[in-house]
Amino acid sequence: MTGAPLKIAVIAGEVSGDLLGADLIAALKRIHGGPVELVGVGGEGLQAEGLRSLFDFSELSIMGITQVLSRLPKLFGLIRRTTAEIIAARPDILLIIDSPDFTHRVAKRVRTALPDLPVVDYVCPSVWAWKEYRAERMLAYVDHVLAVLPFEPATMQRLKGPATTYVGHRLTADPALLETRRLRAGRRPGNGTILLLPGSRSSEIQKLLPHFEVAVSELVARNGPMCFILPTMRHKEGLVRELTAKWAVTPEIVVGAEAKWKAFVEADAAMAASGTVILELALADVPVVSAYRVDWIMRLLTSGIKTWTGALPNLIADYAVVPEYLNDVVRGASLARWMERLSADTYQLKAMKEGYELIWQRMQTEKPPGEYAAEILLDVLKKKKPGRF
């Protein structure tokens, strides 16, 4: 690159996307060497890199069909506002990060108004799970996809989507995860400590904690006193304490990232809500069973799901490394028995550890994810605008 002034429009709709974007922009500044201006939507990470967000991006943190329907008017208003601001800013490139219900709608509209604007999508939409037709439709408004899961480039190619590169997952370079993994190396099970991770959204927590309560009671009845740790976030602490206040065996509730990673180090095994935390646990070498319950509307849509599993470690390994329970199959007694098998020196534990090592190897990249992603973004920019960069 020439070090010429660079204006990047960036849209991140959640905390995880904001972290990815901040990592990419920080790396891009080092590589580019010239001034970088940011416009768009993001959180604290991107704001620390110089973004003045158009609005508080927490307004986009919606989950579930019922929540989406109730907030459609406001959501469409934010889409129109973001689109107009980006078109007016005339950026050199548009970077959309995850949150496809919002970011892709903006990208389509911006591409219509600015047909020569390069668009890069960081985090591949889950076309491998449902609505496969989305992959080919993305060709109209996305030039390159930066994937965070190693199987996604092949999936996008099969579905005739945009060019896709696996750049690595931020967790594989996360200092806290790497330190947790180091501290757990060679660790033998048997201290009787179980992690409870019911999710980060109120609906998830309310649906799963009753089953976790049954599992906790069953474990104590079968094995005697045990330690249960429930990491949560500050803004969910009150809800978690309220829902666990009358448990016969009260878990130790800890708050914040530092306390969570400390609990990961101490744990024999975990029962957790399906999601990114399952991958965190796998990469940190913590045995886990996945559980999830969705609302009745989402259940009606499950016939459209194509993937054979909802657990990311299983998709990466391409076989069932992590046991999972969904909806009416979730049973506290089943979770309890898995905790017994995974917190002792058993064949089940050995098999899971073998799967974890395979997952770790498949997720490695030669460069840190942010740096790799930044290089591809700049390469897309050079190809689309060769006269300037």
Side-chain angles (χ1 to χ4, degrees):
M1 301 293 285
T2 63
L6 178 59
K7 182 185 289 188
I8 300 176
V10 57
I11 310 171
E14 293 190 28
V15 173
S16 58
D18 179 63
L19 292 172
L20 289 175
D23 191 34
L24 185 155
I25 296 299
L28 183 144
K29 288 178 178 177
R30 294 192 297 269
I31 299 168
H32 177 57
V36 176
E37 179 185 351
L38 301 179
V39 296
V41 179
E44 292 180 359
L46 282 166
Q47 290 172 32
E49 294 297 331
L51 174 69
R52 294 182 64 182
S53 186
L54 298 175
F55 53 85
D56 185 345
F57 81 153
S58 66
E59 296 184 55
L60 302 176
S61 297
I62 52 180
M63 178 68 175
I65 297 296
T66 52
Q67 287 182 308
V68 172
L69 291 175
S70 67
R71 297 181 60 183
L72 274 180
K74 185 169 188 177
L75 182 61
F76 282 123
L78 293 174
I79 289 170
R80 288 191 295 269
R81 177 183 173 188
T82 305
T83 301
E85 293 281 357
I86 290 175
I87 292 171
R90 299 278 168 167
D92 296 300
I93 193 166
L94 169 60
L95 172 66
I96 57 174
I97 310 172
D98 210 359
S99 305
D101 287 336
F102 183 81
T103 61
H104 284 233
R105 284 181 168 86
V106 173
K108 290 176 190 177
R109 297 179 180 210
V110 171
R111 173 56 69 85
T112 299
L114 303 174
D116 296 326
L117 180 70
V119 179
V120 173
D121 182 13
Y122 198 172
V123 182
C124 181
S126 53
V127 293
W128 36 265
W130 70 322
K131 294 184 179 179
E132 292 182 341
Y133 60 81
R134 291 179 295 165
E136 190 168 0
R137 289 185 179 180
M138 287 170 62
L139 288 170
Y141 59 92
V142 171
D143 295 288
H144 205 105
V145 177
L146 307 175
V148 299
L149 299 172
F151 61 85
E152 290 177 323
T155 300
M156 289 294 279
Q157 184 177 27
R158 174 177 62 83
L159 297 176
K160 300 179 181 179
T164 302
T165 304
Y166 172 60
V167 297
H169 198 291
R170 66 176 181 83
L171 288 174
T172 62
D174 185 283
L177 187 143
L178 293 174
E179 177 64 7
T180 300
R181 186 178 172 85
R182 184 188 71 80
L183 292 172
R184 289 187 62 85
R187 183 184 182 281
R188 298 187 65 82
N191 69 359
T193 299
I194 302 297
L195 278 186
L196 310 176
L197 294 154
S200 58
R201 295 180 172 90
S202 297
S203 59
E204 295 173 327
I205 295 168
Q206 291 167 340
K207 286 181 173 69
L208 281 183
L209 274 184
H211 299 284
F212 286 7
E213 179 184 8
V214 173
V216 166
S217 297
E218 185 111 356
L219 281 166
V220 172
R222 289 164 62 92
N223 302 281
M226 297 178 69
C227 178
F228 300 94
I229 306 177
L230 200 167
T232 191
M233 296 173 291
R234 180 65 62 190
H235 65 285
K236 297 299 179 186
E237 181 183 3
L239 174 64
V240 168
R241 291 193 182 279
E242 178 186 347
L243 293 174
T244 59
K246 296 181 180 180
W247 285 19
V249 179
T250 306
E252 177 188 356
I253 297 169
V254 298
V255 179
E258 184 177 346
K260 182 195 78 172
W261 290 114
K262 184 175 183 292
F264 274 33
V265 173
E266 297 171 356
D268 274 335
M271 58 186 84
S274 180
T276 304
V277 71
I278 303 294
L279 184 58
E280 279 187 337
L281 291 158
L283 294 176
D285 201 36
V286 182
V288 64
V289 174
S290 172
Y292 207 69
R293 292 181 66 94
V294 297
D295 60 36
W296 65 273
I297 296 180
M298 284 300 295
R299 293 193 193 196
L300 296 177
L301 302 177
T302 55
S303 60
I305 295 178
K306 301 294 185 181
T307 185
W308 62 273
T309 176
L312 292 177
N314 295 349
L315 289 166
I316 295 166
D318 197 30
Y319 74 93
V321 175
V322 172
E324 55 186 336
Y325 293 88
L326 179 66
N327 293 329
D328 295 337
V329 182
V330 178
R331 293 285 187 277
S334 296
L335 299 176
R337 283 160 177 79
W338 268 112
M339 293 301 96
E340 290 174 349
R341 301 306 297 170
L342 295 176
S343 60
D345 191 10
T346 62
Y347 287 114
Q348 289 88 347
L349 177 62
K350 291 175 183 177
M352 187 173 287
K353 296 268 191 173
E354 181 180 297
Y356 280 3
E357 184 58 30
L358 173 64
I359 292 160
W360 179 261
Q361 294 302 325
R362 287 190 174 176
M363 294 191 70
Q364 297 308 297
T365 54
E366 293 183 1
K367 300 176 182 178
E371 181 181 335
Y372 196 2
E375 288 180 355
I376 293 173
L377 185 144
L378 292 172
D379 187 57
V380 169
L381 187 56
K382 281 196 295 184
K383 289 177 180 177
K384 292 278 283 191
K385 298 186 176 183
R388 182 178 175 193
F389 295 100

